[in-house]
Amino acid sequence: MQVLKFGGTSVGSVQNLKQVREIIDTPELKIVVLSAMAGTTNKLLQIADAVRIGERTLAADLAIQLQKEYDQVLEELFTELSILSKVRGYVDGIFSSIENSIQVTNFSTITVDEILSKGELLSTWILTSYLEQENVSVCLLPALDFMRIDMHKEPDTFYIQQNIYRSIENLPPAHIYITQGFICRDYEGKVSNLQRGGSDYTATIIGAVIKATSVQIWTDIDGFHNNDPRFVEETHSIAHLSYDEAAELAYFGAKILHPLTVEPLRQYKIPLHLKNTLDVKARGTMITHKAKGKGIKAIAAKDGITALKIKSARMLQAHGFLSNVFKIFDSYETAIDMITTSEIAVSLTIDNTQNLEKIANELTKFALLSIDRAQSIICLVGNQISADKSTHHLFNILKDVDIRMISYGGSKNNISLLVATKDKNRALSLLQEYVFPHEIVI
Ligand code: ADP
Ligand code: ASP
Ligand code: MG
């Protein structure tokens, strides 16, 4: 069985929904995972934010506006009146439950998650109904019946495996099962989600539990590019990446994949193919367990980084200093991304600043501390980077951009640089020029 996931743009218009039908309407048995239509989750978040700050009228207005957009899609997509009225009934029901959430008196994160879940419920209902109208063998597979996370917010694989099969057995037979990405239940059964962009992760979790032959992620670009196309010109699609390379790039900000996407696939070596819904013939990117080729393959950047410089008050040869520093971060469950040291100081970066004040209080008991916010990590990823001839080009940018930290040699596959976020786009473009000067488009 195959798993195919379609992102927000892929299901974001009537034209693209029809294109999705072209791609999935083949005889093979498959599970199709959908995101919400492009823009919907952001709008639902705006509604939830308005409710949180007590702006209920604004929230209700935003919901009415969004409902109008859906009405228009339904008008265009459904020609058969009986199906149109059934889908309209469902969509109206979803918007009344949003309205109920807007009016709740005890607002909490549960309300936010309830509101956010509606986008995927809408898109899957709409596509399933459209395929029914077109006499395609299809059935809706509700994700909330099987997708669950545990107390640590990890996928509860055993539960998911048991319940996905149980759900399918209880449904009428079909060639295509359509399910919601992103949404799930928590260990108490409350509606939750896999974090923004989480539909990619849903697809690979399902792929792993059903031991799919492959997982395809269909998006709005022709695969993984060698730099962030939102900020850099002339980026190119990469034919192949290993799980490690893709995971590192996704973790360090490549928006094309949710950071945890490849993890479920590792154990079973299930290939992940990134494809373009808007250009079906484009080759895309194949991601497998094996690394191919050498050298730097791609660059990504992650914003929202805070850098801490921690200087030992006792100066030289103060043993135990680093271990004391690490213990503090550990006790506040704060992960460190980058680290560089000298004899008397250590610089490190974090992205979770929830406990920063408490960490700073502890550190200043035995060290001098300076904190820089609004930093970005730029990450260069590839295979056997340190041994590759092109790597030295990287240092050419040092003269043009103020690099706050550099991490080289920690692994053969990664070089990380820390720059102020205001310098990030310039650094990315310069790196593109230096590292991929004669890019050959295959
Ligand atoms: P979807 O809604 O299909 O999940 P996303 O918007 O989450 O799509 O991801 C696709 C987008 O990721 C692209 O349109 C592109 O702007 C952005 N992106 C960022 N970095 C990269 C990269 N290295 N390669 C390809 N796309 C990237
Ligand atoms: N709709 C969700 C989001 O916008 C999940 C996803 O698109 O993958 O984050
Ligand atoms: Mg995405």
Side-chain angles (χ1 to χ4, degrees):
M1 186 131 82
Q2 283 183 337
V3 178
L4 286 79
K5 176 257 168 175
F6 292 86
T9 312
S10 304
V11 295
S13 67
V14 167
Q15 193 189 346
N16 291 357
L17 283 165
K18 290 183 176 172
Q19 175 62 20
V20 170
R21 181 248 163 115
E22 294 294 318
I23 296 167
I24 64 176
D25 190 7
T26 61
E28 292 88 32
L29 200 58
K30 54 181 81 74
I31 295 181
V32 172
V33 177
L34 301 187
S35 293
M37 296 180 81
T40 295
T41 310
N42 284 346
K43 287 175 188 159
L44 293 170
L45 201 53
Q46 279 174 11
I47 294 170
D49 280 343
V51 181
R52 188 171 47 79
I53 57 167
E55 296 270 2
R56 289 176 205 274
T57 318
L58 171 65
D61 286 347
L62 290 169
I64 290 169
Q65 228 172 296
L66 186 59
Q67 186 168 7
K68 279 193 188 139
E69 290 173 27
Y70 275 88
D71 279 344
Q72 222 171 328
V73 171
L74 303 192
E75 287 287 337
E76 255 188 83
L77 198 57
F78 294 99
T79 45
E80 220 172 279
L81 287 183
S82 60
I83 297 199
L84 174 63
S85 79
K86 193 175 91 179
V87 185
R88 197 173 267 147
Y90 180 81
V91 172
D92 289 350
I94 290 278
F95 279 95
S96 348
S97 80
I98 294 176
E99 178 58 28
N100 289 342
S101 298
I102 291 173
Q103 299 311 334
V104 292
T105 40
N106 54 340
F107 182 81
S108 68
T109 53
I110 299 162
T111 318
V112 178
D113 289 344
E114 284 275 353
I115 294 177
L116 288 188
S117 71
K118 304 302 182 198
E120 275 67 16
L121 293 174
L122 286 166
S123 62
T124 47
W125 239 83
I126 291 171
L127 184 67
T128 308
S129 306
Y130 171 65
L131 294 177
E132 277 168 4
Q133 174 182 276
E134 304 300 305
N135 296 316
V136 177
S137 168
V138 65
C139 193
L140 189 68
L141 172 65
L144 295 180
D145 289 352
F146 65 87
M147 190 54 81
R148 190 165 87 164
I149 47 174
D150 63 18
M151 288 174 83
H152 310 288
K153 303 201 165 158
E154 299 281 343
D156 186 342
T157 319
F158 182 71
Y159 180 95
I160 297 167
Q161 191 163 36
Q162 283 208 317
N163 286 281
I164 196 168
Y165 284 125
R166 195 171 295 159
S167 303
I168 291 176
E169 274 163 24
N170 289 332
L171 291 170
H175 277 129
I176 305 172
Y177 289 94
I178 296 193
T179 193
Q180 296 86 19
F182 178 58
I183 64 174
C184 61
R185 291 193 187 274
D186 68 9
Y187 65 101
E188 291 177 311
K190 297 198 184 86
V191 172
S192 185
N193 61 61
L194 302 174
Q195 309 295 322
R196 295 304 305 270
S199 302
D200 301 328
Y201 196 25
T202 303
T204 56
I205 293 170
I206 294 178
V209 300
I210 67 162
K211 318 266 184 311
T213 43
S214 71
V215 175
Q216 298 176 4
I217 289 188
W218 290 79
T219 183
D220 56 6
I221 190 163
D222 54 348
F224 223 116
H225 277 218
N226 62 0
N227 207 328
D228 195 323
R230 293 168 301 172
F231 310 122
V232 178
E233 284 173 14
E234 302 206 15
T235 60
H236 303 297
S237 164
I238 309 163
H240 180 271
L241 285 172
S242 68
Y243 291 148
D244 284 342
E245 291 160 350
E248 200 128 32
L249 288 163
Y251 180 75
F252 283 107
K255 183 177 178 262
I256 186 166
L257 285 185
H258 179 283
L260 296 172
T261 307
V262 300
E263 300 313 325
L265 304 179
R266 283 181 194 276
Q267 192 182 349
Y268 308 105
K269 299 190 176 142
I270 298 168
L272 175 63
H273 199 175
L274 308 185
K275 292 280 291 171
N276 189 354
T277 309
L278 314 176
D279 182 4
V280 180
K281 290 213 176 91
R283 172 198 61 193
T285 301
M286 187 57 101
I287 301 172
T288 67
H289 66 287
K290 271 199 184 137
K292 291 186 184 167
K294 279 191 188 149
I296 298 170
K297 293 187 188 164
I299 303 169
K302 184 172 168 184
D303 296 337
I305 304 293
T306 298
L308 289 87
K309 187 173 187 183
I310 307 156
K311 201 167 165 192
S312 166
R314 285 204 288 135
M315 304 298 278
L316 291 170
Q317 299 203 325
H319 67 84
F321 172 65
L322 280 181
S323 115
N324 289 338
V325 168
F326 291 142
K327 267 187 217 144
I328 292 168
F329 284 89
D330 192 35
S331 65
Y332 289 103
E333 294 180 356
T334 301
I336 296 168
D337 276 329
M338 264 180 93
I339 177 156
T340 56
T341 62
S342 77
E343 182 60 32
I344 55 159
V346 52
S347 280
L348 50 82
T349 69
I350 57 174
D351 67 352
N352 174 2
T353 52
Q354 222 177 334
N355 291 315
L356 181 57
E357 209 174 305
K358 291 180 198 140
I359 291 171
N361 282 341
E362 301 263 353
L363 289 171
T364 45
K365 287 181 189 159
F366 63 93
L368 304 169
L369 178 68
S370 64
I371 299 177
D372 286 327
R373 291 169 205 269
Q375 305 288 304
S376 296
I377 293 179
I378 294 182
C379 181
L380 296 98
V381 170
N383 190 26
Q384 300 183 25
I385 288 183
S386 35
D388 190 80
K389 286 200 291 284
S390 68
T391 302
H392 72 272
H393 288 303
L394 156 71
F395 295 97
N396 287 336
I397 80 148
L398 294 173
K399 62 181 172 26
D400 296 317
V401 179
D402 189 10
I403 310 267
R404 167 86 166 66
M405 279 168 75
I406 179 159
S407 169
Y408 180 87
S411 91
K412 283 186 201 152
N413 307 325
N414 173 325
I415 299 170
S416 302
L417 312 170
L418 186 74
V419 302
T421 301
K422 66 174 174 42
D423 296 331
K424 179 193 73 174
N425 287 356
R426 198 160 58 88
L428 285 177
S429 298
L430 285 167
L431 281 166
Q432 183 74 6
E433 226 171 87
Y434 284 123
V435 179
F436 308 113
H438 310 295
E439 184 68 32
I440 300 157
V441 191
I442 309 159

